Every structure is written in C-alpha cells, then in structure tokens.
C-alpha cells in the first residue's frame, strides 16, 4: 500500500479521501483499501520521512494534504525499478467455489449469478476507465506514465472478462448436471 500511495502522490498531492477514491476507482484490482489501511500506511510513510503533510482550508473545511518528499521519490524509484515478482493468481473468492459442494444446492446458482452481476458492474467501470484513458492518452504529452496506467486498466478489464466467461461456463456446467 505504501508504494501505491507514493506513486499517487508523485502524480499530485492528495488528501486521504482523494487517495482512497483514486485507489478504489482505478487500482482496486491491485489493492483493496479502507480508510484505516490508508491511514496506517500514511503514518508509516510520515515516520519514514517519505511524505509530508500540509494543513489546508478547502470549502471552509480544514484538510490534510499529503505530498511526496525527495526521500520518498528515491524510495519509490528504487521500488518501481526493482524486479517484478510472480505472486501467482490469487483469488480468495475462488475458495468459495472450491468448497461450494458444502453449500445448499438451491443457493449455488443464485450466489454465482450475483457474483457475475458484480463482475459485470466492475467490467463496466473498467471499460469506462479504459475509454477515458484512451482519450486522455491521445491528447497528452505525458504518454509514458499514461501508457502504463492504461495498460493496467486494460489488464483488469480483460481479467474481469475472463472471469465472467469462466463463471458463466461454471453456471452452464452446474445447470447441465
């Protein structure tokens, strides 16, 4: 989580609310977050000197705006230029499928249909992000950064498409038996 925050702050200074919104909108396939997990990471980054905080007033409300420091930029660059590790394809929800034989037969199809509906909602959001990203990419001078951000959105979109197809096939197999 710390490196995601450093990367987002490298793009622009943000409040905790803005960080959470950006993570949920565009990075949720990589990381899920709560305000508490962001606050814990922020606390660690502040203690390490990788970020700093300014108090600002916006719309009559006092807010904390976080920015990356030079030390944070160095740390982020060390991380982003290190080897990419293979952590495998972990999907905790797949454990429910693994043990679905213990669930009530009548509930299985409905559970899977609901999950597919959720995946379709996620796909819709990712397709919007990809479309917006393509438009922004075509107009921007910052193509290096946007290119890779767009590629991760496309990866997420394609992964969700695969999951929808796979779960639909599972439903077909269940219904056939």
């Amino acid at each position: 989580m710390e490196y995601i925050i450093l990367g987002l702050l490298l793009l622009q200074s943000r409040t905790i609310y803005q960080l959470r919104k950006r993570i949920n909108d565009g990075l949720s396939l990589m990381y899920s977050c709560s305000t508490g997990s962001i606050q814990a990471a922020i606390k660690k980054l502040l203690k390490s000197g990788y970020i700093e905080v300014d108090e600002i007033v916006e719309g009559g409300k006092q807010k904390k705006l976080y920015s990356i420091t030079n030390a944070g930029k160095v740390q982020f660059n060390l991380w982003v230029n290190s080897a990419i590790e293979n952590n495998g394809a972990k999907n905790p929800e797949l454990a429910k499928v693994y043990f679905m034989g213990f669930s009530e037969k009548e509930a299985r199809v409905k559970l899977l249909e609901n999950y597919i509906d959720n995946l379709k909602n996620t796909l819709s959001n990712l397709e919007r992000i990809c479309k917006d990203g393509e438009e922004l990419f075509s107009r921007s001078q910052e193509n290096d950064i946007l290119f890779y951000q767009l590629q991760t959105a496309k990866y997420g979109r394609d992964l969700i498409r695969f999951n929808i197809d796979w779960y639909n096939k599972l439903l077909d197999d269940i219904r056939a038996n």
Side-chain angles (χ1 to χ4, degrees):
M1 176 63 67
E2 288 88 6
Y3 291 108
I4 296 299
I5 292 171
L6 287 175
L8 291 174
L9 294 179
L10 193 57
L11 294 169
Q12 72 181 55
S13 298
R14 300 172 195 258
T15 64
I16 286 180
Y17 171 80
Q18 292 168 327
L19 285 166
R20 183 168 185 218
K21 181 165 177 23
R22 183 65 182 96
I23 292 168
N24 287 337
D25 287 350
L27 301 169
S28 59
L29 287 172
M30 294 171 263
Y31 288 91
S32 59
C33 72
S34 65
T35 302
S37 64
I38 292 174
Q39 288 172 330
I42 290 281
K43 187 175 181 180
K44 185 176 177 181
L45 291 167
L46 283 167
K47 186 176 180 182
S48 300
Y50 296 150
I51 64 171
E52 58 192 11
V53 62
D54 287 317
E55 300 273 339
I56 63 167
V57 177
E58 187 178 283
K61 295 182 181 180
Q62 191 152 347
K63 297 181 179 187
K64 292 182 179 182
L65 186 68
Y66 297 92
S67 303
I68 192 167
T69 64
N70 286 333
K73 291 176 186 176
V74 169
Q75 188 64 28
F76 179 81
N77 282 323
L78 287 171
W79 172 76
V80 81
N81 289 300
S82 65
I84 297 173
E85 297 177 21
N86 179 5
N87 291 320
K90 293 180 178 73
N91 181 346
E93 291 304 311
L94 200 54
K96 288 186 180 182
V97 175
Y98 186 84
F99 292 110
M100 195 166 267
F102 292 110
S103 69
E104 297 174 15
K105 286 184 180 183
E106 302 78 32
R108 295 173 191 165
V109 169
K110 190 68 175 161
L111 289 169
L112 292 171
E113 287 173 341
N114 287 339
Y115 186 60
I116 291 168
D117 286 343
N118 289 336
L119 289 172
K120 287 178 180 177
N121 288 333
T122 301
L123 178 60
S124 177
N125 289 335
L126 285 168
E127 285 174 337
R128 179 187 45 77
I129 289 168
C130 288
K131 182 179 180 246
D132 293 348
E134 290 282 359
E135 290 173 14
L136 187 60
F137 181 73
S138 69
R139 296 188 315 255
S140 176
Q141 303 292 14
E142 298 293 326
N143 285 343
D144 269 359
I145 295 167
L146 287 173
F147 174 80
Y148 292 100
Q149 290 177 343
L150 182 57
Q151 297 313 306
T152 58
K154 288 179 178 179
Y155 171 85
R157 177 201 61 202
D158 295 347
L159 181 62
I160 295 299
R161 284 179 179 162
F162 168 82
N163 277 297
I164 289 169
D165 291 343
W166 190 88
Y167 279 98
N168 276 321
K169 184 179 179 327
L170 175 61
L171 270 176
D172 290 345
D173 290 347
I174 290 170
R175 289 176 177 136
N177 287 329

